Amino acid sequence: MPLHPDAALPAAPEPPDPGGKPLAFSRAERDAVYRAIHERRDVRSQFLPAPVPDEVLTRLLTAAHHAPSVGFMQPWDFILIDDPEVKRAVKALYTGANEQAARLFGGERGELYRRLKLEGIEDSPLNVVVTCSRTRGGPHVLGRTSSVDMDLFSTCLAVQNFWLAARAEGVGVGWVSILDEQELARLLQLPQDVVPLAYLCVGYVTEFLPEPELQARGWRARLPLEDLLHRNRWTPRGPT
């Protein structure tokens, strides 16, 4: 049976050690990995103005750059934005897109949507845009011949690496998804074959919330893991 997210981790069996170096992390190292996963948050409102030191930022970007990628294509680039004018221009794009999005939700849901703070573009000292080059590796990339979007999926893994490393460093990250991709690409003067996959707000924070903000505010709860498990074939479920 799967563990409850807050349950204590059982002692892992030691795997074979053919090369003289332990294959499993120590208990403390494993706990640190799981802590980063469970305590990662999408930060919007808790940013401090202090800049992230270059050596810390380099570690985060290096972690992102060590993400797995299909065919080892490494399709990501990173645009670092700290210019207030560029931030203001991006914030204007967000405001327009968010006004359109708000009209999709009516009644109490719409009222709650309008109360949510969904970005920290100007609040965070640094914005990081993770892009995906859709032609990197050439016209035929190993492992991408059947699914052409594997470059996008690979870039998402770079974002996750960045986010988890940031949590371990005490640095907050917030993903701003309410942006028109084409307008953002024009603003950032991206080449035609490069798409902006993730717009991240980055900086030290006053706190990491004990639970995801959307869950705490009543927008949506975490689904039970046992309701999402299937074996061998899809098991029909009720509405979610």
Side-chain angles (χ1 to χ4, degrees):
M1 294 294 293
L3 289 173
H4 185 277
D6 296 327
L9 295 172
E14 292 299 327
D17 184 6
K21 182 178 180 181
L23 300 183
F25 290 0
S26 70
R27 177 59 187 264
E29 291 167 335
R30 291 197 304 269
D31 286 350
V33 171
Y34 287 111
R35 179 186 172 193
I37 292 170
H38 289 298
E39 294 186 13
R40 181 211 58 81
R41 294 290 178 264
D42 193 351
V43 178
R44 300 157 182 150
S45 305
Q46 294 84 30
F47 285 109
L48 295 169
V52 178
D54 288 345
E55 60 270 21
V56 175
L57 181 59
T58 297
R59 288 198 293 269
L60 303 186
L61 293 170
T62 301
H65 186 45
H66 279 72
S69 62
V70 171
F72 204 43
M73 69 178 84
Q74 305 161 74
W76 43 72
D77 284 85
F78 308 94
I79 302 175
L80 311 181
I81 299 175
D82 56 10
D83 186 330
E85 291 187 10
V86 178
K87 288 184 179 181
R88 278 194 292 271
V90 176
K91 178 67 176 288
L93 294 183
Y94 162 82
T95 299
N98 193 51
E99 289 174 354
Q100 293 181 14
R103 292 195 287 269
L104 300 175
F105 303 96
E108 294 183 0
R109 197 75 162 167
E111 294 176 6
L112 175 57
Y113 182 95
R114 288 167 176 81
R115 292 197 300 270
L116 295 172
K117 190 177 191 303
L118 300 176
E119 55 78 35
I121 296 168
E122 294 183 290
D123 301 330
S124 57
L126 178 67
N127 296 174
V128 177
V129 185
V130 186
T131 67
C132 177
S133 175
R134 309 232 54 192
T135 58
R136 188 163 296 167
H140 305 295
V141 175
L142 186 154
R144 192 188 175 197
T145 53
S146 298
S147 179
V148 298
D149 289 336
M150 295 307 297
D151 55 341
L152 299 173
F153 304 152
S154 297
T155 305
C156 285
L157 297 176
V159 175
Q160 179 78 334
N161 270 19
F162 184 95
W163 213 329
L164 293 177
R167 179 61 190 89
E169 296 275 4
V171 174
V173 176
W175 187 330
V176 184
S177 61
I178 308 173
L179 289 168
D180 183 280
E181 178 183 296
Q182 294 181 346
E183 290 184 356
L184 181 60
R186 282 193 291 270
L187 174 63
L188 300 178
Q189 301 178 1
L190 299 184
Q192 187 173 2
D193 64 324
V194 175
V195 298
L197 186 136
Y199 195 99
L200 306 177
C201 303
V202 180
Y204 288 109
V205 295
T206 57
E207 64 172 336
F208 289 97
L209 298 177
E211 62 179 326
E213 186 172 3
L214 291 182
Q215 179 169 286
R217 298 289 297 274
W219 184 263
R220 189 170 174 85
R222 189 180 300 280
L223 300 173
L225 175 58
E226 55 267 26
D227 290 350
L228 308 176
L229 296 178
H230 309 263
R231 191 176 297 277
N232 297 320
R233 293 178 178 82
W234 183 271
T235 305
R237 306 285 186 181
T240 58

